[in-house]
Structure formats: structure tokens, C-alpha cells
Amino acid sequence: MLGSLAKWLRIMGFDTLYFRNIEDNELVRIAKQEGRILLTRDGGICGSKKAGDCLLIRSQDTVSQIKEVLTSLEIRPSVGEVSHRCVSCNGALLPVRRDDVFGEVPEYVCRNSPAFLKCGQCGKVYWEGSHKKMMDAVIAALTKDGEAC
Ligand SMILES: [Zn+2]
């Protein structure tokens, strides 16, 4: 239910795992083992003692959910900095050379972009323009109602 939130958190550079179909116990186990904070809309999980660090997300829409997370956990996105997290799979992004992405990105991007990043896990290629666009969308959404984020 929080897939969209997970994506946005990755765009902002936060190490975020997301599971669509997973047993509560397994979810809690992974969170504890890896020292993660569990974000869920399921009050049942958060209410139980065994859950560990857990944040119950109450908002319905993604932007409000992002604000909830940032406020509750007292974290801020590093605005202007390029995220090094793959939006699709949460893998680490590594800098690659222009030659390495030839044929994997649109030709004009390959020619004109100054820098490229590639996901070490799924192989997805990112470039400055694609990342900046996503970050700008996040910032625009978070500041839409005139509030500073
Ligand atoms: Zn990836």
C-alpha cells in the first residue's frame, strides 16, 4: 500500500525496502535484523510489542505520507544532492562512463549528459537530467501548499 511512498523515499536517497506480499512476522524480522524502521498502514503490526521501531502511516496521499515520515523521524531530504539509491530496486548507484551506457539510454542523453549512474543490482541507468527531474518533483510537491519542507 506504500509503494509510492517507498519510491519517493528512494528518490530522496533513503535506503528503503518495500514488500508487496509479506507475512507480518517476516517483515518484523527483516526490520529488526537490518536495524530498519518499519513503515506501515497496519495498526496491528505497530501496536504489537514485538514490532520494534515502527511508524504507523495515517495519511492517504503520498505527499502527506512523505511529510509524515520526515516529521516523525526528524529527517530531511538532502535537497540538491543526487540520490545514490535506485528508485526501482533500492540498489546502490555507481558512476559509470559514457561508453558503458551507450545503447542503454536515449542517444541525445548519451551525447549530452555529463555524468551517468548505474544500479549495481538491476542495471538501470540514471543520468543527471532524470535524477534532477525527480528531485524537483519531490521538492515541488512538498512545498506546494506554501509550507517549507
Ligand atoms: Zn536497481
Side-chain angles (χ1 to χ4, degrees), residues 86 89 119 122:
C86 177
C89 78
C119 175
C122 76

Side-chain angles (χ1 to χ4, degrees), residues 12 67 70 75-77 79 138-143 145-149:
M12 289 187 278
K67 285 183 182 171
L70 297 181
I75 50 176
R76 282 167 158 269
V79 173
V138 173
I139 294 157
L142 289 174
T143 53
D145 51 6
E147 251 174 69
C149 64

Side-chain angles (χ1 to χ4, degrees), residues 85-93 118-124 126:
R85 210 37 81 181
C86 177
V87 179
S88 299
C89 78
N90 196 46
L93 300 184
K118 189 169 190 170
C119 175
Q121 215 158 287
C122 76
K124 189 169 176 176
Y126 296 84

Side-chain angles (χ1 to χ4, degrees), residues 5 12 19 36 38 43 48 52 61 63 80 89 97 106 114 120 123 125 135 148:
L5 173 64
M12 289 187 278
F19 303 94
R36 294 174 180 278
L38 211 155
S48 81
D61 72 288
V63 172
C89 78
R97 293 173 313 141
V125 177
M135 273 310 291

